Amino acid sequence: MDEREEQEFAEYFAARREAVRRMAYMMCGDWHRADDLAQTAFIALHRRWRKVRDKGSLDAYVRRTLTRAVIDESRRPWRRERAVEVLPDTPSDSEDVATSVATRRTLMAGLRKVPPKQRAVLVLRYLEGLDVAGVAEIMKCSEGNVKSQSARGLETLREALGDEFDHVRPTSGGGAGK
């Protein structure tokens, strides 16, 4: 790559690094793995930077690469092991913060019980706000498959969360039946 292309990539990386890292965390539930997965997605983009003609589709390319990396990584035997988490100190005495942290922990614990492909669909649909067609394109599957993976993933998540979140229904983000 020439200097101009390196600069373009550096600007894109700086602008999107945290968003991609957060999406990776939502998919895998571990910040260290999220860093590795985000790095994998950006390395793949860097390798293909010259070949990308439509710079407007960079986010889609990174999302697709990240999603494939999460699914591929989950298939590795050593990823079936579960580490015990050490809970961090409470950030403040605020009840809202404590409730928010507890809700986030509960959601992440529930997401870890959802199979990787279903988890990826849930993150892309309801947290990234993509519609069914967008998720199908990223995951290279049919829209019907996205809908069934969403339904199964939501059911698994509801079972994992139990009574605590029975009243919660996801917002459509990208339009639920689209």
Side-chain angles (χ1 to χ4, degrees):
M1 277 199 285
D2 63 26
E3 246 182 79
R4 181 186 54 80
E5 290 171 327
E6 283 290 345
Q7 182 62 32
E8 286 175 353
F9 177 80
E11 289 171 5
Y12 178 79
F13 175 77
R16 299 297 298 152
R17 174 182 51 212
E18 285 305 311
V20 171
R21 184 175 177 254
R22 280 191 305 272
M23 183 172 46
Y25 174 74
M26 295 304 293
M27 287 185 182
C28 73
D30 178 89
W31 282 111
H32 298 291
R33 283 180 54 209
D35 288 335
D36 292 345
L37 292 164
Q39 180 179 353
T40 298
F42 281 118
I43 288 171
L45 176 62
H46 188 266
R47 284 185 189 137
R48 299 197 42 90
W49 188 262
R50 274 195 154 157
K51 296 177 183 179
V52 176
R53 290 190 178 120
D54 181 11
K55 299 296 185 196
S57 65
L58 291 173
D59 286 344
Y61 180 82
V62 170
R63 272 194 301 267
R64 178 181 297 126
T65 304
L66 179 64
T67 302
R68 298 306 319 157
V70 169
I71 292 170
D72 290 347
E73 163 113 353
S74 70
R75 293 179 178 148
R76 296 194 171 112
W78 60 84
R79 288 297 176 206
R80 294 184 195 127
E81 298 175 8
R82 297 287 176 203
V84 177
E85 290 186 24
V86 177
L87 299 178
D89 295 334
T90 306
S92 76
D93 292 349
S94 168
E95 212 172 288
D96 290 340
V97 172
T99 301
S100 176
V101 169
T103 301
R104 185 174 293 122
R105 281 188 188 141
T106 303
L107 176 61
M108 290 310 301
L111 278 173
R112 280 192 289 274
K113 295 178 182 174
V114 176
K117 188 171 181 182
Q118 293 173 10
R119 183 182 324 134
V121 168
L122 292 180
V123 169
L124 292 170
R125 285 278 291 130
Y126 301 109
L127 299 174
E128 286 295 307
L130 296 177
D131 62 4
V132 172
V135 176
E137 183 181 328
I138 287 171
M139 296 192 66
K140 299 264 190 225
C141 64
S142 69
E143 291 182 18
N145 188 290
V146 170
K147 290 177 185 179
S148 66
Q149 293 291 325
S150 293
R152 289 183 189 126
L154 287 172
E155 184 60 34
T156 303
L157 183 59
R158 282 188 194 105
E159 289 173 11
L161 296 176
D163 296 333
E164 187 169 348
F165 287 92
D166 268 348
H167 63 285
V168 175
R169 295 283 180 241
T171 58
S172 63
K178 286 186 183 177

